[in-house]
Amino acid sequence: MITSASNCDVLVAGEYFCDLIFSGLGDAPRLGAEHFATGLSIVPGGTYNIALAATRLGLATRWCCDFGSDIFSTHVLDQARIDGLDLRGFRLIDGPLPRVSAAFSGDGERGFISYSAPEPRPPDLSCLRLHRPNWLLQTFRFEPDWIEFVHIARQQGASVFLDCRDGDFTLDTPGVRELLALADVFSPNAEEAMALAGTRDLDRAVALLAERVPVLLVKRGAEGALLVTGKDTTEIAPPSVEVVDTIGAGDAFNAGFVFGMVNGAGLAAATRLAVACGALSTTGTGSRACPTAEELARFAPMPAGAWAIGPRPDRPAATGTTN
């Protein structure tokens, strides 16, 4: 892990979404049928969930994200202020920039129907100089301008945690291998790993991806996670919780891992914290159940002195204004 001086623990780069979450469905929606959910929430989504999870854990977090003048941007911006997110990474665009998903969950699964404005731009390179992150945490964007952003972040001393996403791309898609080569940690879920590797054999997918990144974390939902470093694989089982909503669990997982690494937990312990953090996030709707550091400590106790909880005094408070 890179340990250069930094102004923030983690910089989250990626787009917002406004999620309409329908929960309690017995099965997946299908054409020609009407489905009634037992719950409905309107909450921020996209990389908001990662930024919120990291903030709630006490990490000094910046979220570099574009917002427009549309009602979806306005809703997410309002909620960001309520949730105490640091606003200094926000970039305001003159005009609408709608990104919205109708998310449904039931029977332990989830799905989305989404609409997004044009592909998100990477943050200005000036944000890296301004915020000097210890960790860069971003979604899987392999366009040339995003690759340049990740490359500059590494040059300036940040460790890179790459999340994955659904999409029509594989290891052979231009830019994908170049992006993976910049990652310190890559964390797809099992389906994303197999799609990226072009195989339905998870073991084969893990072997192919582990050749390209120093640390591979495979999220496996109710089965926990795989930590793969070189030829060593560790299975981390999840704790038992009463699941309400799985949306945002992967984002909480990501934040929990970075939280562990920032606080010196080590790879295996950080992965256990990630699994516990993801599990806790499923006990409520959307990202509302992301735990605080104190809640995580009670739920997943670690050996004395293994990690600190809460914001550290050498980090600025999560306040500020939009750019």
Side-chain angles (χ1 to χ4, degrees), residues 29-301:
R30 64 185 185 277
L31 293 174
E34 184 176 14
H35 299 265
F36 282 91
T38 59
L40 170 65
S41 301
I42 303 176
V43 298
T47 49
Y48 185 101
N49 292 332
I50 302 176
L52 176 61
T55 298
R56 286 180 60 83
L57 286 170
L59 294 173
T61 305
R62 307 287 189 274
W63 180 28
C64 289
C65 181
D66 291 347
F67 295 93
S69 58
D70 54 279
I71 60 173
F72 304 111
S73 290
T74 299
H75 177 80
V76 174
L77 281 168
D78 288 344
Q79 191 61 50
R81 296 184 179 94
I82 293 171
D83 285 337
L85 269 61
D86 194 307
L87 310 181
R88 284 173 284 184
F90 295 175
R91 184 167 56 186
L92 302 182
I93 306 301
D94 185 15
L97 197 66
R99 305 188 192 279
V100 60
S101 283
F104 52 90
S105 65
D107 215 19
E109 296 296 334
R110 63 179 179 172
F112 299 89
I113 302 172
S114 301
Y115 172 82
S116 179
E119 289 294 320
R121 300 179 299 163
D124 291 332
L125 294 178
S126 60
C127 79
L128 294 172
R129 295 189 296 272
L130 176 64
H131 303 304
R132 294 185 299 123
N134 193 5
W135 281 84
L136 170 66
L137 200 165
Q138 74 167 58
T139 51
F140 203 76
R141 295 287 176 187
F142 47 86
E143 296 83 359
D145 51 354
W146 279 97
I147 291 176
E148 179 188 10
F149 179 78
V150 177
H151 178 69
I152 296 300
R154 283 184 59 89
Q155 283 187 328
Q156 295 187 1
S159 297
V160 176
F161 184 112
L162 286 181
D163 194 14
C164 200
R165 60 184 172 90
D166 293 331
D168 187 18
F169 53 84
T170 70
L171 286 173
D172 294 326
T173 301
V176 167
R177 298 187 189 208
E178 186 178 357
L179 178 62
L180 286 174
L182 296 173
D184 294 286
V185 180
F186 177 48
S187 186
N189 63 35
E191 285 296 323
E192 292 165 343
M194 290 186 291
L196 189 59
T199 176
R200 294 305 303 169
D201 184 332
L202 180 58
D203 291 338
R204 175 61 177 160
V206 167
L208 288 171
L209 295 176
E211 293 175 352
R212 303 189 175 280
V213 292
V215 178
L216 177 67
L217 296 176
V218 181
K219 309 179 185 85
R220 299 196 300 166
E223 297 181 43
L226 295 178
L227 166 63
V228 187
T229 55
K231 294 184 179 180
D232 296 327
T233 299
T234 304
E235 296 187 21
I236 308 295
S240 178
V241 296
E242 185 175 344
V243 175
V244 173
D245 181 10
T246 61
I247 293 173
D251 300 317
F253 176 101
N254 298 341
F257 179 84
V258 173
F259 171 79
M261 294 300 291
V262 166
N263 287 286
L267 286 175
T271 305
R272 292 188 184 95
L273 289 171
V275 171
C277 196
L280 276 175
S281 78
T282 68
T283 61
T285 301
S287 57
R288 300 300 93 191
C290 289
T292 64
E294 291 80 3
E295 290 167 341
L296 182 59
R298 290 194 297 269
F299 187 68

